[in-house]
Amino acid sequence: MNITFDGKTIIITGAAHGFGRNIAQSFATRNATVHICDVNEAGLEETLKLCGSKTTAHILDVGNRTAVQETVAKIAASSDTIDVLVNNAGGVRGQVGRPIEEISESDWQTIFDVNLSGAFFMSQAVAPTMKAQKSGRIVNISSGAGLGISLTGIQAYASAKAGQIGLTRQLAHELGPWNITVNNVAPGFVRSNPTTERQWEAMGEEGQAKLLQNIALKRLGKPEDIAAMVMFFASDFAGWVSGQVISVDGGK
């Protein structure tokens, strides 16, 4: 299966490291014009260096609807099309699992802003362009936590990722008449960024062994495994696939 994106314009959020960086590199090596977005300016610059001259960086907080609208309008003005949106921005924003009675309103909302509201705002912003061109791909990066429970015990993270899966299915039906597909990748645990490295170390040898034992393939995945599924969803091969959630987790 030879997947290329010649002449295609791609937007990726959360591209400063981890899955987002690898997804950006995967599109760049397939000859796409790539727009990478993140609040982490230093990490975004590093991704930009790895992706090459057809990539443009945008400092963006996806939880800020006004900033999202302005950034997407700028991208649309510079491109003939917006072909693919990858809503990858997310994470636990430095939080750790705590009892429900200790969670503040701010703790809860901060995680929802980036994981769920951000995906909604970005999808909302690209929809007019994709409708006008009568084509488009939206790929959301959720989590196994959205299908089950969060390994970290963070209530807002599990809830926001489950909400993102619901958003995927709803938008697939709303946008389908314009030939816009909306799909979701739900990664298992992957050591892909500083947060997951801290989580891995906190498990200790016993916890790490237990995690691996619960995976059918008995090994952790890599960011490239997540990017590969994104490439499929974004490609012409997935033209009649929409509203789907695919777990990329080594088998559970």
Side-chain angles (χ1 to χ4, degrees):
M1 185 181 292
N2 183 23
I3 295 176
T4 62
F5 295 97
D6 299 78
K8 302 290 188 181
T9 299
I10 319 297
I11 302 175
I12 305 160
T13 68
H17 55 59
F19 295 155
R21 175 176 289 173
N22 200 273
I23 291 166
Q25 289 179 275
S26 295
F27 277 116
T29 59
R30 290 168 172 82
N31 209 32
T33 297
V34 182
H35 292 268
I36 54 175
C37 307
D38 207 296
V39 293
N40 180 345
E41 186 172 1
L44 205 57
E45 285 298 317
E46 184 63 28
T47 301
L48 187 63
K49 292 175 185 177
L50 294 169
C51 288
S53 61
K54 293 182 71 175
T55 302
T56 303
H58 306 268
I59 307 301
L60 176 64
D61 176 1
V62 296
N64 182 330
R65 184 180 183 275
T66 299
V68 165
Q69 291 283 336
E70 291 174 351
T71 298
V72 171
K74 180 180 177 181
I75 294 170
S78 69
S79 306
D80 293 330
T81 62
I82 296 176
D83 300 286
V84 180
L85 165 65
V86 181
N87 285 313
N88 172 69
V92 299
R93 304 305 294 267
Q95 296 186 39
V96 296
R98 289 168 292 155
I100 187 170
E101 58 268 28
E102 296 181 13
I103 309 303
S104 70
E105 180 180 355
S106 175
D107 292 334
W108 175 268
Q109 194 59 51
T110 296
I111 288 179
F112 263 75
D113 285 345
V114 66
N115 288 281
L116 182 53
S117 296
F120 176 79
F121 293 153
M122 290 297 300
S123 300
Q124 184 181 52
V126 303
T129 299
M130 289 185 173
K131 284 183 174 181
Q133 67 200 25
K134 293 183 171 58
S135 67
R137 301 276 192 270
I138 297 175
V139 184
N140 296 322
I141 309 298
S142 182
S143 168
L147 293 168
I149 62 171
S150 171
L151 293 176
T152 64
I154 298 174
Q155 305 89 342
Y157 184 73
S159 301
K161 289 303 190 183
Q164 193 194 77
I165 290 170
L167 179 67
T168 297
R169 292 172 176 146
Q170 191 67 37
L171 291 183
H173 283 267
E174 179 179 342
L175 301 178
W178 287 273
N179 194 36
I180 301 167
T181 67
V182 188
N183 290 292
N184 195 294
V185 181
F189 185 84
V190 178
R191 296 169 64 185
S192 60
N193 57 53
T195 297
T196 54
E197 282 299 315
R198 287 193 295 271
Q199 291 170 353
W200 177 253
E201 292 301 323
M203 290 178 194
E205 291 186 7
E206 184 177 344
Q208 293 167 4
K210 183 178 179 180
L211 176 65
L212 293 172
Q213 186 59 36
N214 288 331
I215 298 173
L217 291 175
K218 308 304 179 192
R219 60 179 175 84
L220 296 181
K222 300 174 290 185
E224 290 84 352
D225 296 312
I226 310 308
M229 182 54 67
V230 174
M231 295 304 106
F232 171 70
F233 275 148
S235 76
D236 292 339
F237 292 102
W240 207 48
V241 180
S242 196
Q244 301 305 303
V245 181
I246 299 296
S247 296
V248 182
D249 59 9
K252 291 292 183 68

